[in-house]
């Protein structure tokens, strides 16, 4: 990461821009299952080579377009995938990672402001937040439905910062994917790459959310 910025220094920043899927909630298995079923139905030729891990952080619409190369087919695939995913959420297959609620509570207690910056659709995100009881932890939410670009485009985080009047120098982004890190770093944000030992370029690695909580508590 640039300069001598450390995880400890980043943890002291006032504004937190948090990703959702794979960062705060364990949604990878549900997303992958929904995608694989939708791909099998609408783009079966792509199923054998499809790896959801290659697309984490990208929007459903973008992935569907890459898989089909056809606007109408992509729209049908995306709708089917989103419908399946929401069914999985309703069935309780998506929940917060250990330490997620404790982290958000600790940020609030320490006077930090948390925003949600996610590439998920608003309808899916609202269902996940309701099911995980995390919705009240964020001052506001930005989803893929609110912006004309998707991660890894830096404009995704750039639009978030402008919308909320956030100075990137006073903020930290919390991400789990290379796509998300690229967007945040490109927008000038100090970025924590969580759930990894090998961070994407420009980010600092944090193995788990509990490690961030510990840093915040040590700073009391």
């Amino acid at each position: 990461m640039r300069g001598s910025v450390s995880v400890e220094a980043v943890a002291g920043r006032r504004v937190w821009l948090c990703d959702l899927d794979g960062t705060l909630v364990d949604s990878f298995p549900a997303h992958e299952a929904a995608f694989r079923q939708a791909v099998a139905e609408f783009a079966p030729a792509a199923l054998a080579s499809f790896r959801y891990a290659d697309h984490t952080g990208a929007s459903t619409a973008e992935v569907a377009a890459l898989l089909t190369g056809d606007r109408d087919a992509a729209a049908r695939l995306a709708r089917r995938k989103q419908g399946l995913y929401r069914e999985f959420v309703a069935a309780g297959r998506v929940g917060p990672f250990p330490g997620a609620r404790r982290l958000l509570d600790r940020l609030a207690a320490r006077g930090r402001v948390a925003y949600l910056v996610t590439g998920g659709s608003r309808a899916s995100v609202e269902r996940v937040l309701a099911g995980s009881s995390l919705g009240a932890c964020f001052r506001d939410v930005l989803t893929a439905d609110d912006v004309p670009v998707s991660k890894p485009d830096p404009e995704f985080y750039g639009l978030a910062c402008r919308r909320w009047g956030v100075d990137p120098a006073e903020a930290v982004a919390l991400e789990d994917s290379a796509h998300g890190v690229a967007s945040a770093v490109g927008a000038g944000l100090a970025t924590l790459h969580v759930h990894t030992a090998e961070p994407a370029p420009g980010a600092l690695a944090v193995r788990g959310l509990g490690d961030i909580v510990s840093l915040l508590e040590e700073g009391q």
Side-chain angles (χ1 to χ4, degrees):
M1 195 164 182
R2 45 193 161 308
S4 58
V5 176
S6 65
V7 175
E8 291 80 6
V10 167
R13 298 198 176 193
R14 183 182 64 86
V15 179
W16 286 63
L17 304 178
C18 303
D19 176 53
L20 182 65
D21 291 298
T23 299
L24 297 175
V25 299
D26 187 7
S27 56
F28 186 104
H31 275 300
E32 182 175 37
F35 253 124
R36 292 193 68 82
Q37 185 171 333
V39 171
E41 294 176 13
F42 292 98
L47 185 59
S49 60
F50 176 74
R51 292 182 67 255
Y52 176 62
D54 294 337
H55 305 285
T56 52
S59 69
T60 295
E62 182 180 36
V63 177
L66 288 171
L67 292 172
T68 64
D70 176 87
R71 177 185 294 183
D72 292 338
R76 291 193 295 271
L77 192 157
R79 284 194 298 270
R80 177 61 170 153
K81 182 269 173 181
Q82 290 171 339
L84 288 165
Y85 177 70
R86 291 163 192 170
E87 290 177 11
F88 296 157
V89 172
R93 292 174 60 174
V94 176
F97 277 115
R101 183 55 189 258
R102 188 179 172 200
L103 169 61
L104 293 169
D105 286 346
R106 179 54 55 188
L107 289 174
R110 297 288 292 158
R112 311 293 200 271
V113 178
Y115 294 97
L116 191 66
V117 183
T118 170
S121 66
R122 182 162 291 275
S124 294
V125 169
E126 288 176 347
R127 286 167 171 78
V128 172
L129 291 177
S132 60
S133 300
L134 296 179
C137 299
F138 302 103
R139 178 169 291 184
D140 203 356
V141 176
L142 185 81
T143 74
D145 295 340
D146 304 316
V147 295
V149 297
S150 62
K151 302 173 185 178
D153 192 324
E155 189 66 0
F156 200 100
Y157 271 97
L159 286 166
C161 289
R162 291 196 295 275
R163 170 179 286 205
W164 298 318
V166 172
D167 181 351
E170 298 179 351
V172 56
L174 185 62
E175 278 283 354
D176 76 298
S177 70
H179 276 72
V181 168
S183 177
V185 171
L189 289 154
T191 305
L192 301 181
H193 192 168
V194 74
H195 310 309
T196 186
E198 297 293 334
L204 289 166
V206 182
R207 289 185 179 274
L209 301 175
D211 293 337
I212 304 174
V213 174
S214 296
L215 285 172
L216 292 168
E217 292 177 342
E218 289 170 6
Q220 287 182 332

